[in-house]
Amino acid sequence: MIDLRVLREDPDRARASQRARGEDPGLVDQVLAADELRRSSATGFDELRSEQKGLGKLVAKASGEEKQQLLARTKELADAVKAADAAQGEAADEAKRLLLRLSNLVEPGVPEGGEDDFVLLETHGTPRDFAAEGFEPRDHVELGKILGAIDLERGAKVGGARQYYLTGVGALLELALANMAMAQAVRYGFTPMITPSLVKPEAMQGTGFLAQAAENVYHLAEDDLYLVGTSEVPLAAYHMDEILPADKLPLRYAGYSSCYRREAGSYGKDTRGIIRVHQFEKVEMFSYCAPEDAAAEHQRLLGWEKEFLTALEVPFRVIDVASGDLGSSAARKFDCEAWIPTQGKYREVTSTSNCTEFQARRLSVRLRDENGVRPLATLNGTLCAMTRNIVAILENHQQADGSVRVPEALRPFLGRDVLPPV
């Protein structure tokens, strides 16, 4: 949620942010109009309520005809106060409803445009020249069969499209990645968390996932609960309605969870394999910090993502995501994209977003320092999304005989140097 004072003082910034996202700038004016009505309704109610209290004192002192006139006015005021209170409530609800539709303000310097208008920041590692090594690389689906690691046919039989089984070394590889990611997170002071997969509407709404991402969210209507698409949601809501001491910040959590996504709008995309699926496991970093520290914290999260991918010995690049491709809660987002040899391109494996005060305002998470109580900032970053990292490892570390070399940093967690064909 955007600070209404910022909207009132600098509406042009909010309009420009909406345009940069490809969203309606007119919504800013709707919010401001609703806010003005809310404030005038509140003023009208307060004036009537004050008159009502004053009249009560006069009635107590009056007598005869004067008292009867005052009592008649008291009844009129009672009806007026009731109507003004209802109008005030309706105006406040409408203002909040419209405000919740506004996305976060895009940070200065974010590239404008859509999905393809990102800015390349860094490239790490060099893609292998398989032709020079004398063999054609296999994709992760074929490698998964050779290794007995991925079973797509039975996944589809049991769960439908975009479902899969990880079997044998595939299951062990996922568990090893999860443990490696958690070990790194703990090393940097994160508190490990296993989070709920089902959350209440206020948690999903508060994190911004019922905005443009709503079509990809699974909703259990009978229970009015949502399946999370990332542990960002329960981690952001963990301190909902709380005030955190400033001297305890930053608070950093590493959440392990299943993630559920409907993948609406992705018809025909990544139908082969486990790149785009309905359920996957992930280790997610989440940070609560003071707003003035958020930009530096964002760089730290990105640095930890880069460290993890470097340890996996996978070529990757870092991009500054364009404004039209940001989630509604993100003011800025950096993606790390791993090289996928059989596709001949980089594919997203991690994202880190600075959500500034947007989620904290919606979830009422605040900090207390020497200046009083104020909203804090929230940030999130993928440390390891299992399926996409498995794809990157299998394809980049495959060998001519169909075996896969295990990256050195992963070996202590997996207990083997090579994944052999079965």
Side-chain angles (χ1 to χ4, degrees), residues 140-220:
H140 72 279
V141 175
E142 187 177 355
L143 289 166
K145 289 180 180 178
I146 292 171
L147 300 172
I150 304 170
D151 192 332
L152 291 166
E153 289 77 12
R154 290 186 177 92
K157 177 179 71 174
V158 173
R162 302 188 189 277
Q163 303 285 6
Y164 60 95
Y165 284 88
L166 293 180
T167 57
V169 294
L172 294 175
L173 182 55
E174 174 164 304
L175 294 171
L177 283 167
N179 284 321
M180 178 178 164
M182 275 296 186
Q184 176 180 308
V186 169
R187 190 163 69 247
Y188 287 112
F190 284 80
T191 300
M193 306 271 277
I194 295 177
T195 61
S197 291
L198 289 168
V199 298
K200 296 177 180 179
E202 50 265 39
M204 195 66 79
Q205 178 75 271
T207 45
F209 282 89
L210 295 185
Q212 91 272 31
E215 65 176 358
N216 278 310
V217 173
Y218 285 103
H219 181 220
L220 282 65

Side-chain angles (χ1 to χ4, degrees), residues 355-372:
C355 298
T356 60
E357 301 173 18
F358 185 81
Q359 292 176 332
R361 287 182 178 277
R362 295 161 74 104
L363 293 166
S364 189
V365 187
R366 295 165 290 168
L367 66 83
R368 177 182 281 113
D369 59 16
E370 64 277 5
N371 298 315

Side-chain angles (χ1 to χ4, degrees), residues 116-132:
D116 298 326
D117 297 309
F118 60 84
V119 169
L120 177 62
L121 299 177
E122 310 168 28
T123 301
H124 297 261
T126 304
R128 285 170 63 186
D129 186 346
F130 286 95

Side-chain angles (χ1 to χ4, degrees), residues 76-93:
E76 291 174 4
L77 269 179
D79 292 339
V81 166
K82 185 177 179 181
D85 190 27
Q88 174 186 237
E90 290 173 7
D93 289 345

Side-chain angles (χ1 to χ4, degrees), residues 14 32 35 41 50 104 106 130 207-208 214 220 261 317 362 403:
L32 290 172
D35 178 53
S41 298
S50 178
N104 200 359
V106 175
F130 286 95
T207 45
L220 282 65
R261 301 182 183 182
R317 69 181 185 182
R362 295 161 74 104
S403 64

Side-chain angles (χ1 to χ4, degrees), residues 243-262:
I243 298 173
L244 307 178
D247 60 2
K248 299 296 184 183
L249 301 178
L251 284 176
R252 298 184 180 121
Y253 300 107
Y256 177 81
S257 75
S258 294
C259 306
Y260 302 90
R261 301 182 183 182
R262 293 183 63 242

